[in-house]
Amino acid sequence: MFVFALITGKLIPVFGLKPTFTVGYVIAAIGNILFGFVDIFEDKSTFLAVCFSLRVLTSMGGAAAITASLTILANCFQGTMSQPMGNIAASAGLGMILGPFVGGLLYEHYTATALVVIDYEVRISRPCVARCRSTFLWGVQCQ
């Protein structure tokens, strides 16, 4: 993720913020969705190769989305970036704390596919909620 974030930083001026964010977000979502179906591989070496490949794909998409979103954040909140940046850091920390716990509960009581379905639903609804909340909470209209 670290290496691709640097590459993405160089590609943002070429392709633009919105396409870079959108493509990165979609690539990360596709990688996560496909990761839920890796249990169909019975051979251990194939399973590990597919898991590793999908993790690399997801990291590339996540790096592009995160790099673009932080650039969008810097553009939208030029004078008051500390509060939105703090909210992002707090949300990421909360996700790192609660994510494994909630994922473990879902996996224990349901299947790995339940994790994919919930992740898919969150990824689909997040851009819609973010677009509505950014104007409502911050009064900032970003391009």
Side-chain angles (χ1 to χ4, degrees), residues 59-136:
S59 295
M60 290 170 55
I66 289 171
T67 305
S69 67
L70 290 176
T71 307
I72 292 168
L73 182 75
N75 288 342
C76 290
F77 300 98
Q78 291 177 353
T80 60
M81 200 168 119
S82 61
Q83 185 177 4
M85 193 67 167
N87 289 343
I88 287 177
S91 299
L94 189 63
M96 285 186 225
I97 292 169
L98 293 178
F101 174 73
V102 172
L105 285 177
L106 289 172
Y107 185 75
E108 183 178 329
H109 295 291
Y110 300 103
T111 63
T113 310
L115 299 173
V116 174
V117 170
I118 290 174
D119 181 54
Y120 178 74
E121 295 297 326
V122 168
R123 286 185 182 270
I124 293 299
S125 65
R126 190 183 312 162
C128 300
V129 171
R131 181 159 176 82
C132 295
R133 288 185 64 199
S134 65
T135 304
F136 175 71

Side-chain angles (χ1 to χ4, degrees), residues 1-13 60 63-64 67:
M1 193 167 189
F2 172 73
V3 172
F4 200 72
L6 297 174
I7 295 169
T8 303
K10 291 288 188 181
L11 294 177
I12 285 175
M60 290 170 55
T67 305

